[in-house]
Amino acid sequence: PNKLGEVIALVMSIAILFLMPLLHTNQSQGLQFYPLNQVLFWYMVITIILLTWIGARPVETPYILTGQILTVLYFSYYILNPIISKFWDNLLNN
């Protein structure tokens, strides 16, 4: 419904992928030492699959709300992942 909002969300979804390597400050390189981040990874995979499916649906009432909720979940991953990584690093160091 809002074309400017859609364009901004599209640009941000691509730009955030370029920012991820710069925001990586974990002490360990792999996810094997971050079990909560492993769960978040699969949460992200499922969210991307559902967003792809929702993108193929017509613009109708149940699909609009579902797409908006999935978009919030998509961007919340990029907020939660560094926070949980820092929490886990502090937990392991103490």
Side-chain angles (χ1 to χ4, degrees):
N2 185 356
K3 296 296 180 190
L4 179 62
E6 293 173 11
V7 171
I8 291 172
L10 178 66
V11 169
M12 289 302 298
S13 67
I14 301 299
I16 204 163
L17 296 175
F18 287 109
L19 292 175
M20 284 303 289
L22 301 173
L23 299 175
H24 180 76
T25 59
N26 297 352
Q27 292 180 356
S28 178
Q29 291 296 319
L31 284 179
Q32 66 267 23
F33 300 113
Y34 299 98
L36 294 175
N37 291 65
Q38 290 175 355
V39 173
L40 275 179
F41 170 78
W42 289 109
Y43 150 83
M44 182 63 164
V45 169
I46 292 169
T47 302
I48 289 173
I49 291 169
L50 288 174
L51 276 170
T52 304
W53 175 75
I54 279 294
R57 301 289 112 210
V59 182
E60 294 177 353
T61 304
Y63 302 122
I64 293 172
L65 181 62
T66 306
Q68 290 171 345
I69 291 170
L70 288 171
T71 302
V72 169
L73 292 176
Y74 175 83
F75 285 109
S76 69
Y77 169 80
Y78 295 105
I79 295 169
L80 291 175
N81 193 30
I83 292 171
I84 292 176
S85 295
K86 287 291 184 188
F87 170 75
W88 202 255
D89 283 340
N90 290 337
L91 187 67
L92 291 176
N93 287 335
N94 293 330

